[in-house]
């Protein structure tokens, strides 16, 4: 189990890296095709531009046609990581009904991976379904018929019509997703190293 979790952490790190987008290569000379996130200045001094237009690996220079896919991957991993953080912390306080999910059966949330194989299969099936049904949208993304991460799913009608307000929400999602990718890695590592549940020491 530890090797599987370690492999997933490596994959998360790899998915996180391309999100840091770069020096401009578009016809309009915009950083990262003008996506939100490039103009945000934060206390970090790495590379030629620091936090602004941060892309020390040069992903957008070397393969600009993949920039929409990089942003899509960053958003998807960020959204999954935000859900994963909730899924790791909420069961420390409350569990769904069922003896197999009880605190007596699974004292530590991290042990649920091995203790509940049927549940893991259900999760894998759900992920596979989402990936399969979204493939068409991914394949057409370079035709620019939609923005990365925008699947038109907004049942609560939260998307503002004002572009400036929408950009603020996009930035909030991006930052929270990036933080969650680091957060879930820390949760898993802390739980495995310490052998304890929350707060993992």
């Amino acid at each position: 189990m530890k090797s599987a979790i370690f492999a997933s952490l490596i994959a998360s790190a790899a998915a996180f890296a391309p999100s840091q987008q770069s020096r401009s290569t578009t016809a309009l000379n915009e950083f990262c095709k003008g996506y939100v996130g490039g103009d945000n200045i934060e206390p970090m001094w790495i590379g030629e531009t620091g936090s602004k237009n941060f892309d020390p690996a040069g992903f957008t220079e070397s393969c600009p046609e993949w920039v929409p896919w990089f942003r899509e991957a960053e958003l998807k991993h960020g959204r999954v990581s935000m859900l994963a953080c909730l899924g790791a912390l909420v069961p420390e306080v409350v569990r769904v009904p069922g003896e197999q999910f009880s605190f007596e059966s699974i004292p530590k949330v991290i042990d649920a991976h091995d203790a509940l194989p049927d549940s893991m299969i259900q999760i894998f099936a759900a992920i596979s379904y989402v990936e399969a049904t979204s493939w068409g949208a991914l394949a057409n993304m370079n035709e620019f018929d939609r923005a990365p991460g925008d699947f038109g799913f907004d049942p609560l009608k939260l998307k503002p019509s004002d572009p400036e307000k929408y950009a603020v929400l996009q930035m909030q999602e991006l930052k929270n997703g990036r933080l969650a990718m680091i957060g879930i890695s820390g949760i898993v590592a802390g739980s495995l190293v310490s052998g304890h549940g929350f707060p993992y020491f």
Side-chain angles (χ1 to χ4, degrees):
M1 173 188 164
K2 290 184 179 180
S3 60
I5 292 176
F6 181 73
S8 70
L9 293 177
I10 295 298
S12 297
F16 180 64
S19 69
Q20 316 188 0
Q21 326 245 351
S22 87
R23 295 176 277 282
S24 168
T25 51
T26 65
L28 297 176
N29 199 32
E30 287 183 318
F31 171 75
C32 194
K33 295 187 180 292
Y35 297 151
V36 299
D39 58 349
N40 192 56
I41 301 176
E42 295 184 354
M44 182 170 60
W45 299 271
I46 301 175
E48 297 177 2
T49 60
S51 297
K52 185 176 177 64
N53 297 350
F54 180 70
D55 183 25
F59 286 109
T60 54
E61 252 184 16
S62 59
C63 42
E65 70 278 5
W66 284 91
V67 167
W69 290 72
F70 293 156
R71 175 50 59 91
E72 179 93 7
E74 178 180 25
L75 288 170
K76 181 177 286 188
H77 283 82
R79 291 166 179 171
V80 169
S81 295
M82 286 188 277
L83 291 172
C85 286
L86 283 175
L89 296 175
V90 171
E92 297 281 2
V93 180
V94 62
R95 301 286 177 88
V96 296
E99 177 60 30
Q100 70 272 33
F101 306 118
S102 67
F103 289 99
E104 291 74 21
S105 299
I106 307 175
K108 295 182 296 182
V109 174
I110 196 72
D111 294 335
H113 182 277
D114 292 343
L116 300 169
D118 292 341
S119 297
M120 295 299 108
I121 292 173
Q122 291 174 7
I123 292 172
F124 180 78
I127 293 170
S128 300
Y129 174 77
V130 171
E131 290 293 328
T133 55
S134 63
W135 176 251
L138 288 172
N140 289 326
M141 190 160 49
N142 279 338
E143 301 299 324
F144 306 108
D145 59 349
R146 71 177 184 89
D150 185 358
F151 290 91
F153 181 75
D154 185 22
L156 299 179
K157 306 299 181 185
L158 298 176
K159 181 178 178 180
S161 56
D162 185 343
E164 292 186 3
K165 292 181 179 179
Y166 183 48
V168 170
L169 286 182
Q170 286 180 306
M171 178 65 76
Q172 290 173 346
E173 179 184 30
L174 203 57
K175 284 187 173 184
N176 282 283
R178 289 169 176 172
L179 180 61
M181 285 188 274
I182 297 172
I184 189 60
S185 299
I187 288 171
V188 172
S191 184
L192 290 175
V193 171
S194 69
H196 300 294
F198 182 82
Y200 315 113
F201 57 78

